[in-house]
Amino acid sequence: MAKPYSYDLPQKVIPAIKLDCLKIIALWLKRQDQTGSFLAWLPVATALLVASLTLTNPAQAANPEHIKQLLETKQCKGCDLANAKLKGASLEGANLAGANLENVYLYKANLVNANLSGANVRSADLGDVNMKGINLSGADLTDTNLKGNDMTGANLENTNLSGAILKCNKTTRTRLTYANLKKANLTKADLKGVSLIGANLADANLNEADLSPDRYRAGNIIYISPAYLSGANLRNANLNKATLNRANLYRANLNNAILTNARLNDANLYRANLNNAILTNASLSYANLEMAQLTGADLTKASLRLTNLEGATLIKANLSNADLVKSKLVDANLTNAILKSARLVDINMSRANLMGADLSGAEMSKNNLCDVTMPDGTKTKEGCGN
């Protein structure tokens, strides 16, 4: 049974009403021929036609007074602008804090330095909008189209962007601290230097996203600002071919994340959760993975040169054909890890646990194996005197 108003209602009722309308009009015309009275069936036909039109267009129009107020004064705090058509509107510096902008059409509008904090912007179309310096803190942008926007310096702290489309955005130095980006589409997004501290990016699509350091000039000084994702939730996120060089992922949750061919050179992944993550062909040279959780992770053919894996948990991890030259594996747990044909050269592996590990075809030379538990359970003192 349909609810008082639901998607099912117009889908099921409108066709029936339209059919009844046709029948009524036919009867009306027949009755007119028989009686000569034009008004005989007019009230009934009119009622049905009005009902049909009402159900066909269930969305309520925006408050016209509020639209006028916004366009004339740019001050519309708490206004009701739901479903408004404001394509190309010039709203630089406008105050729309707490406003209702659900389903609003703001395509190619100017929202530079506008205040939309706490606003309801669900399912809105903000494509190709200039949003430099915009304040969207605490706003709800669920399922909103933000494709192609310039969001440089925007404030999206505590913003809900679940299901939002941010494809190909310029979001340089944007603050997305604690923002909800669950299932957000960030394919090929420019996220250089973005702040995503504590953000929820679970199931988000970051395929080929650029989260590399942002280099910018202020006067005669060149600044380098890395992307900040410490404590971010990237569980099940798609980071295929993403660029995360020098990114700060301290204690980030990357459980089951896809990082195939991702670039994480010099990234900080201290105590990050990468359990069951797919890092095939990923580049992690100079990265800090100290105390990181990598149980069941797939690091096949990954580049881990000069990578710090001290105290990391790599139980049942697949490191087949991985390059670990000059990496650090002190106190690392590699129980039942797969290291087939891996390059294990010039590594400090002291006190590492290799119980049950598969080292077939692995290249091992110039390593510090002091107190290392070997695959057969024996301990070696090789390198202890160095």
Side-chain angles (χ1 to χ4, degrees):
M1 180 177 178
K3 294 179 180 179
Y5 180 77
S6 69
Y7 175 79
D8 288 337
L9 188 62
Q11 296 298 313
K12 295 178 180 178
V13 177
I14 289 173
I17 286 179
K18 287 181 177 178
L19 180 60
D20 286 342
C21 283
L22 292 174
K23 290 178 180 178
I24 290 297
I25 291 169
L27 289 170
W28 172 26
L29 293 172
K30 183 178 180 181
R31 184 65 173 168
Q32 180 187 350
D33 289 338
Q34 293 173 346
T35 64
S37 174
F38 177 76
L39 300 174
W41 285 76
L42 184 58
V44 178
T46 301
L48 282 169
L49 286 169
V50 169
S52 176
L53 290 171
T54 301
L55 284 170
T56 305
N57 301 284
Q60 293 183 346
N63 188 319
E65 291 299 318
H66 288 181
I67 293 177
K68 182 181 178 182
Q69 177 184 333
L70 172 64
L71 296 177
E72 289 181 355
T73 69
K74 295 186 181 180
Q75 299 297 311
C76 216
K77 186 176 180 180
C79 284
D80 185 3
L81 298 160
N83 304 298
K85 306 299 180 185
L86 295 164
K87 179 181 178 181
S90 178
L91 298 169
E92 183 172 352
N95 184 3
L96 287 157
N100 181 12
L101 295 157
E102 188 165 358
N103 292 308
V104 73
Y105 187 65
L106 277 159
Y107 182 69
K108 290 193 173 180
N110 181 359
L111 286 168
V112 173
N113 296 319
N115 180 11
L116 277 78
S117 58
N120 173 16
V121 200
R122 293 172 68 93
S123 303
D125 189 343
L126 277 73
D128 287 331
V129 172
N130 189 343
M131 300 173 78
K132 289 182 180 178
I134 193 171
N135 182 5
L136 284 159
S137 59
D140 186 353
L141 285 97
T142 302
D143 297 323
T144 296
N145 176 25
L146 295 157
K147 185 177 179 180
N149 296 345
D150 187 345
M151 300 172 76
T152 303
N155 180 5
L156 290 100
E157 294 185 16
N158 295 302
T159 302
N160 185 354
L161 284 150
S162 180
I165 300 173
L166 291 95
K167 189 174 180 180
C168 299
N169 279 18
K170 294 178 182 176
T171 49
T172 308
R173 296 192 301 282
T174 299
R175 284 175 291 163
L176 291 162
T177 307
Y178 296 107
N180 181 3
L181 287 133
K182 186 177 181 181
K183 296 183 180 179
N185 184 353
L186 292 152
T187 303
K188 294 184 179 179
D190 181 355
L191 296 163
K192 292 188 184 76
V194 71
S195 176
L196 285 158
I197 296 171
N200 183 6
L201 288 144
D203 301 296
N205 186 358
L206 289 136
N207 185 44
E208 297 186 58
D210 188 352
L211 290 114
S212 58
D214 178 31
R215 292 174 173 81
Y216 60 99
R217 181 185 293 273
N220 294 322
I221 303 174
I222 296 176
Y223 294 90
I224 300 175
S225 177
Y228 289 92
L229 294 103
S230 54
N233 181 9
L234 288 149
R235 183 183 178 90
N236 299 316
N238 180 4
L239 289 148
N240 176 56
K241 294 184 180 179
T243 302
L244 291 146
N245 294 328
R246 297 186 65 180
N248 187 346
L249 289 147
Y250 169 75
R251 287 185 180 272
N253 182 4
L254 289 146
N255 193 308
N256 288 305
I258 299 171
L259 290 144
T260 307
N261 296 302
R263 284 173 285 178
L264 291 141
N265 298 309
D266 206 22
N268 180 14
L269 288 148
Y270 178 76
R271 288 188 178 274
N273 180 356
L274 288 147
N275 290 335
N276 300 307
I278 301 173
L279 291 139
T280 308
N281 289 311
S283 183
L284 293 136
S285 297
Y286 296 96
N288 180 16
L289 284 153
E290 185 178 355
M291 306 296 291
Q293 299 293 315
L294 289 144
T295 298
D298 187 352
L299 290 144
T300 304
K301 295 183 180 179
S303 176
L304 294 153
R305 282 181 168 242
L306 294 154
T307 299
N308 183 6
L309 287 154
E310 184 172 356
T313 301
L314 290 143
I315 298 171
K316 294 183 179 180
N318 189 350
L319 290 142
S320 298
N321 295 291
D323 186 350
L324 291 115
V325 173
K326 293 188 177 181
S327 62
K328 191 174 182 180
L329 284 162
V330 176
D331 294 313
N333 187 351
L334 290 140
T335 303
N336 296 318
I338 302 170
L339 291 146
K340 289 181 180 180
S341 302
R343 293 202 68 200
L344 299 161
V345 179
D346 202 7
I347 298 172
N348 185 351
M349 300 176 71
S350 55
R351 298 184 301 281
N353 187 354
L354 289 162
M355 173 73 76
D358 185 350
L359 291 164
S360 57
E363 180 184 353
M364 294 186 69
S365 62
K366 298 188 290 185
N367 297 326
N368 181 349
L369 300 173
C370 183
D371 290 324
V372 170
T373 301
M374 299 306 286
D376 60 2
T378 61
K379 281 197 175 183
T380 176
K381 296 294 182 179
E382 185 179 338
C384 289
N386 298 339

